Amino acid sequence: MKVHFFGLLLVLMVNNVIASNINMPVLEAYAKHAQYIDIKLSPGGEYLAATSRDIEGVISLTVLDLRSNEVISITRGRGNESVSSFSWLNDERLLLTMAREVGSLEKPLPTGELIAMNADGKKMVILTGPRAATKDYRFSSIIDILPNEPEQVLIYSVSWSSSEPFIDLYRMKVSTGRKKGLGRIPMRAYKGSGVGVFSNKKGEVLAAQGIDPSKNNKLILLARNNVDSDWKSVLESYEYEGSFSPLYFLDDDETLIGISDLETDTKAMATFNIKTRKHKVLISHDKADLSPIISIANGVRGELIGARYQYEQLGSIFLNIVKDKKNQAIIKSLLKSFPGQAVRITSATKDNKSMVVMTSSANNPPKFYLYDNVKRKLSVLTPTKPWLNKDIVSETTIITYKSRDGLEITGLLTLPKGKSKNLPLILLPHGGPHGVKDDISYINADVKVLSYHGYAVFQPNFRGSGGFGRSFLTSGFRKWGTEMINDMTDGVHSLIKNGVADKERICVYGASYGGYAALQSVINEPDLYKCSIGFVGVYDLDLMFEEGDIPENQSGINFLNQVLPIGESRKAQSPVHNIDKIKVPVFIVQGEDDVRVPKEHAFRLRKGLEKENSPYEWMMKSGEGHGFYKPENQIELWQEMLQFLNKHIGH
């Protein structure tokens, strides 16, 4: 009994020491939702509208009267419905879209409702959806807010009841919700696939793009010369074989500006003429995908003036010939003022005299500024998280290394303040995995919490990641548990070789695909890692065809068939079928309501570990989905994670 008592006492003492090394205010600071998500000026400059998230994770809209400096309205949805986006229709009226959020790692699900209201919250009208006066049981989405016709918007609607609905076009009055039909696009909005609809400056819909699951997710671009012409297919392509994604029409009503890799391996800025079907690359980068920089004119979208990218640093490329040289000069000046940060103009007054600017990076918490275009002066509006001071933000840098087969790979490395050598290391692979990358433009709360507590954190952009060209992305297909994992392993070895990481103190943690990689890494490399943490992870690749929202539609099944291993390789690359190779403690974390990666994955992994008598810890939270939204659950997760890590590779 004495041995048992003192053994228990020793365990309690050790656990208390581990827990005492956790800085709770830091956890609370990172778990607390941003006070502001987006801020936009009204066209006349009298109001600021801002979205913010409450403690339950629900996003509401607040409007501030700049003349009196008073909040004049706060608007939120029903239950767990959030304000998804908002636009100023005119000096007094706003248009809102609503969404339901299902997990912090998953995109919100639009409700299809559009709501208009005055800045003071009065004269609110539900324009579309079952709660509208018209009892419209259809999903509606905005095409164009028609700035020259501020009482109308251009929308499309699709039937809720059909799994393959056509796309109906309308002009809608924002005061009443009354619609005028503009015809139907002969394209179906298949479940699980997105549709893009594009109009000219006169509000005439001339192009639409969607996917056809019956043709293995082929991208179809339909267009017509004018509103009286027939629709025709002008471009058919596959996303992973080279495609063009429209952004907007030029003034000639026949040339689309878009993002393209039809002629390049990386995503470039390009044009496509719907009449001649000619394609032209405007700007490109040989190693990185570009994303557009578009000016604001008359309070709305202007023209393409350049593009940004991430490779060895955040960079930008600008077009030589643009109409709005003044706006381009402003963007260039702002980028120089905030080196190493992403800079975005969220809105501007109609005369462009005032602009709201947002800056952010992995080392600088997001902040909003008001830019006076007359005085050329920036004034701070507000940080998104005012409580997040620089003292608790460790520095993140971009690093490059070579994989064992010679592929150049970039990644993010975050070190504890004042330390750089012989550190305990956390490998943190991102989710997705395809088309996603770890971006130095944004703060990753997991990374900052771990680095604050003494851990180096490595986020590799392994093959299969987005942002580095089509060949790089597709080279990860069907290699989830082999070459993609090798890229992560090779990055870890490079950090050991460089003296950053202590080879005896390395663990791996990830969410979604990253949770899969956390388990597959310790299976492939049983002697490299001391522990593994899988959060809402995929552990049985066959189960992806049976459970969750991906296999609920043909487009999702097509995607899985394209990217997952096939035949026996699928089992060979599934953690649940290789549990006998796991030699380290595992921490399994799951949201009980996850529809992307259902809890059955976690249950199967736990059952296998129990069968092998392998040590594991467990956390499942009800009311949480694909990722945790509630701050108290996120704090508890970090506490348990840090105790788990401190126990196995503590410093």
Side-chain angles (χ1 to χ4, degrees):
M1 288 295 294
K2 287 183 179 180
V3 173
H4 175 75
F5 173 77
F6 285 113
L8 178 62
L9 184 62
L10 181 61
V11 169
L12 290 172
M13 289 174 63
V14 170
N15 285 340
N16 285 336
V17 170
I18 292 172
S20 68
N21 292 329
I22 298 173
N23 188 309
M24 288 302 295
V26 169
L27 272 57
E28 291 164 359
Y30 279 106
K32 189 176 180 181
H33 294 306
Q35 188 169 343
Y36 299 102
I37 299 169
D38 198 7
I39 299 178
K40 294 180 182 178
L41 271 168
S42 63
E46 292 88 1
Y47 305 108
L48 274 177
T51 43
S52 58
R53 193 186 299 276
D54 66 20
I55 195 168
E56 295 297 322
V58 175
I59 300 171
S60 59
L61 179 73
T62 301
V63 179
L64 176 72
D65 188 326
L66 293 175
R67 295 162 296 188
S68 62
N69 203 32
E70 293 181 353
V71 172
I72 57 173
S73 68
I74 299 176
T75 305
R76 59 173 293 161
R78 299 181 304 170
N80 66 343
E81 289 181 4
S82 287
V83 176
S84 178
S85 66
F86 66 97
S87 302
W88 285 98
L89 297 170
N90 51 49
D91 289 342
E92 292 290 336
R93 201 149 176 83
L94 289 140
L95 185 66
L96 285 59
T97 68
M98 309 301 291
R100 295 184 184 92
E101 306 203 62
V102 294
S104 62
L105 303 174
E106 196 47 57
K107 291 182 179 179
L109 297 174
T111 66
E113 286 187 335
L114 303 177
I115 299 173
M117 69 175 208
N118 285 351
D120 60 7
K122 297 177 181 178
K123 295 186 179 180
M124 180 180 288
V125 180
I126 299 175
L127 302 170
T128 63
R131 293 191 296 157
T134 56
K135 303 293 182 185
D136 188 6
Y137 284 85
R138 291 184 296 175
F139 176 95
S140 296
S141 185
I142 302 168
I143 301 171
D144 193 342
I145 62 171
L146 304 177
N148 295 325
E149 302 175 59
E151 295 302 315
Q152 298 189 77
V153 292
L154 190 63
I155 68 168
Y156 75 81
S157 298
V158 295
S159 170
W160 282 115
S161 58
S162 174
S163 61
E164 301 178 1
F166 283 108
I167 302 162
D168 294 317
L169 303 172
Y170 299 93
R171 278 180 179 249
M172 181 176 67
K173 291 196 69 172
V174 295
S175 57
T176 64
R178 290 184 62 184
K179 305 180 188 71
K180 177 184 177 182
L182 300 176
R184 170 173 285 182
I185 301 175
M187 173 179 284
R188 295 184 184 273
Y190 293 95
K191 185 178 180 182
S193 64
V195 172
V197 181
F198 307 94
S199 62
N200 61 15
K201 287 189 176 180
K202 296 188 287 286
E204 298 170 335
V205 174
L206 299 179
Q209 187 177 56
I211 71 167
D212 187 344
S214 69
K215 295 182 178 180
N216 199 27
N217 292 3
K218 177 175 276 191
L219 275 166
I220 311 292
L221 178 62
L222 298 183
R224 56 183 178 176
N225 293 339
N226 54 64
V227 293
D228 297 317
S229 301
D230 292 333
W231 289 93
K232 295 180 181 179
S233 174
V234 296
L235 180 64
E236 297 188 10
S237 59
Y238 290 101
E239 180 181 0
Y240 300 123
E241 295 179 6
S243 61
F244 177 86
S245 300
L247 295 170
Y248 65 91
F249 271 103
L250 293 181
D251 291 344
D252 64 5
D253 295 348
E254 60 184 64
T255 304
L256 284 162
I257 292 282
I259 303 169
S260 174
D261 58 353
L262 286 173
E263 297 184 57
T264 54
D265 183 67
T266 55
K267 296 286 187 183
M269 297 295 109
T271 61
F272 180 81
N273 189 291
I274 62 173
K275 292 182 179 179
T276 65
R277 305 188 187 186
K278 288 185 178 180
H279 175 269
K280 180 183 178 181
V281 174
L282 299 176
I283 46 175
S284 64
H285 189 282
D286 61 344
K287 290 186 176 181
D289 292 344
L290 299 182
S291 58
I293 301 175
I294 297 176
S295 67
I296 293 182
N298 298 316
V300 294
R301 187 205 67 228
E303 64 176 322
L304 179 76
I305 58 174
R308 58 177 64 87
Y309 64 89
Q310 173 182 306
Y311 197 71
E312 292 179 334
Q313 61 182 4
L314 280 181
S316 55
I317 306 172
F318 288 93
L319 290 166
N320 292 324
I321 301 175
V322 295
K323 293 179 181 178
D324 193 351
K325 291 186 178 297
K326 288 184 178 180
N327 215 309
Q328 187 185 60
I330 291 170
I331 295 290
K332 287 182 177 181
S333 175
L334 289 170
L335 286 168
K336 287 182 181 179
S337 299
F338 299 97
Q341 296 192 55
V343 178
R344 179 171 67 94
I345 296 177
T346 71
S347 61
T349 54
K350 201 164 185 177
D351 58 12
N352 263 21
K353 288 183 178 179
S354 296
M355 300 177 173
V356 174
V357 178
M358 183 181 183
T359 64
S360 67
S361 79
N363 302 312
N364 297 275
K367 188 178 290 187
F368 287 99
Y369 295 84
L370 188 63
Y371 180 67
D372 187 324
N373 202 5
V374 177
K375 297 179 180 178
R376 299 288 193 270
K377 183 180 178 182
L378 273 172
S379 304
V380 176
L381 280 175
T382 180
T384 61
K385 291 187 173 185
W387 54 88
L388 206 60
N389 62 67
K390 294 281 286 184
D391 293 340
I392 63 171
V393 181
S394 304
E395 185 176 5
T396 299
T397 58
I398 298 175
I399 63 170
T400 61
Y401 64 96
K402 289 287 183 72
S403 66
R404 64 193 68 183
D405 59 2
L407 187 65
E408 186 171 77
I409 296 172
T410 69
L412 306 184
L413 179 63
T414 305
L415 302 178
K417 283 183 178 289
K419 299 179 180 179
S420 61
K421 295 294 182 182
N422 202 36
L423 296 166
L425 176 72
I426 310 298
L427 166 65
L428 204 169
H430 62 70
H434 303 298
V436 179
K437 73 174 183 289
D438 278 311
D439 196 331
I440 201 165
S441 300
Y442 307 102
I443 282 181
N444 182 310
D446 281 330
V447 170
K448 299 306 184 183
V449 166
L450 292 169
S451 60
Y452 181 88
H453 287 88
Y455 294 98
V457 184
F458 172 49
Q459 302 166 266
N461 281 316
F462 43 84
R463 73 189 70 197
S465 301
F468 308 102
R470 185 175 65 253
S471 297
F472 188 87
L473 187 152
T474 58
S475 66
F477 287 3
R478 298 182 177 173
K479 308 291 178 59
W480 279 32
T482 52
E483 276 91 335
M484 289 167 70
I485 301 296
N486 290 345
D487 290 347
M488 304 173 204
T489 304
D490 295 343
V492 170
H493 281 301
S494 73
L495 293 174
I496 295 172
K497 183 179 179 180
N498 293 338
V500 173
D502 178 349
K503 66 179 182 178
E504 300 300 328
R505 295 188 295 164
I506 303 173
C507 284
V508 54
Y509 157 59
S512 196
Y513 170 80
Y516 164 88
L519 271 295
Q520 195 63 30
S521 290
V522 299
I523 289 168
N524 290 11
E525 305 291 338
D527 299 322
L528 182 60
Y529 302 101
K530 299 301 185 220
C531 64
S532 173
I533 304 173
F535 183 21
V536 294
V538 175
Y539 308 121
D540 187 338
L541 298 184
D542 281 323
L543 190 60
M544 293 192 73
F545 287 92
E546 303 168 15
E547 300 278 350
D549 61 351
I550 297 177
E552 288 180 353
N553 53 76
Q554 188 59 48
S555 62
I557 294 171
N558 291 342
F559 173 75
L560 294 177
N561 281 326
Q562 188 169 23
V563 304
L564 289 182
I566 58 175
E568 289 302 311
S569 294
R570 193 174 294 157
K571 282 194 174 181
Q573 295 182 49
S574 289
V576 294
H577 297 297
N578 295 278
I579 290 176
D580 60 313
K581 299 174 184 175
I582 298 175
K583 308 300 181 186
V584 299
V586 174
F587 184 14
I588 308 169
V589 186
Q590 181 68 34
E592 190 171 9
D593 301 333
D594 194 343
V595 295
R596 175 52 50 91
V597 181
K599 57 190 175 185
E600 182 62 27
H601 284 272
F603 288 144
R604 290 189 182 187
L605 177 61
R606 181 175 68 173
K607 183 177 179 181
L609 290 170
E610 288 175 345
K611 185 177 179 181
E612 293 291 330
N613 291 316
S614 295
Y616 74 89
E617 296 185 22
W618 176 266
M619 176 184 287
M620 179 175 285
K621 287 295 182 182
S622 62
E624 295 283 12
H626 199 54
F628 289 177
Y629 260 129
K630 296 178 181 177
E632 64 269 26
N633 289 340
Q634 187 61 62
I635 290 168
E636 184 182 347
L637 171 57
W638 283 331
Q639 283 181 283
E640 296 297 323
M641 277 177 53
L642 287 166
Q643 290 188 36
F644 181 79
L645 293 168
N646 290 349
K647 189 191 315 180
H648 298 294
I649 58 169
H651 43 89

